Amino acid sequence: MRILLIEDEKKVAEFVARGLRAERFAVDISNNGQSGWEMASAYNYDLLILDLMLPGLGGTEVLKRIRRQKSQVPVLVLTARDGTSEKVENFEAGADDYLTKPFAFAELLVRVKALLRRGTTDRSSVLRVGDLEVDRLAQQVRRAGKRIELTSKEYSLLEYLVANAGRVLSRTMIIEHVWDESFEGLTNIVDVYVRHLRSKVDVLHPCKLIRTVRGVGYSVSDEPET
Ligand code: CA
């Protein structure tokens, strides 16, 4: 599941992102309303966490624009204010839930999961490539019906590859998505994790789903290899 966090307070953004990533969510951060709005319109997020007091374009305006585009993405509003009239205004603008700062991460997580469950009742949470299934809500992986146990990072990497099945993803794209932006290790970390994934997902099966695209990166596909 991919979450966009629009929050200008660096400490809050890092705290929330770290916690969500530990729960296997992929998190993109925007620190202002304009770029947040652009990211929300450009990518297909599963959930938005939106601060109200933002430099430039305010959170309520971001929310209104998103809804004007007919986007149904669940939006959890985060704010330091707790005035009733403001809550009403934001619910009317299309917020799905509201959390007042300061908050405990556990409460944020419960609300995020509830919103994601609601959002996926009418569309399947299961991604499929060939006989591989990734249930994004339960965070479970099966191949040919058999459950595969993955570590947190392995799961995030596989979910990203499968969600983009058929597309080639560069090591840089994978690192930006699966690891923190602050990650400064070597890009061969991706190769190491792909090796782990192959040993769990592909090794027992004649059709290898995880493909190396030489000089570029990786992709997942069940098309016959050329
Ligand atoms: Ca703020």
Side-chain angles (χ1 to χ4, degrees), residues 7-9 51 53-54 101:
E7 166 64 82
D8 61 318
E9 266 176 85
D51 182 36
M53 293 280 278
L54 292 167
K101 292 178 191 172

Side-chain angles (χ1 to χ4, degrees), residues 60-132:
T60 306
E61 184 53 33
V62 172
L63 182 55
K64 286 180 180 166
R65 289 188 184 191
I66 287 166
R67 293 305 184 223
R68 238 178 273 142
Q69 281 191 325
K70 307 285 177 226
S71 165
Q72 301 284 317
V73 63
V75 176
L76 171 62
V77 166
L78 279 189
T79 179
R81 313 174 202 164
D82 64 350
T84 306
S85 66
E86 197 188 56
K87 281 187 190 172
V88 170
E89 188 197 347
N90 282 283
F91 276 122
E92 281 176 356
D96 297 282
D97 201 357
Y98 211 103
L99 194 54
T100 306
K101 292 178 191 172
F103 55 84
F105 180 76
E107 185 176 0
L108 174 87
L109 184 61
V110 166
R111 287 168 187 260
V112 162
K113 287 184 173 173
L115 287 174
L116 288 172
R117 261 197 309 278
R118 220 187 295 165
T120 45
T121 46
D122 50 349
R123 60 191 168 92
S124 173
S125 65
V126 181
L127 304 170
R128 285 190 183 83
V129 177
D131 58 357
L132 177 70

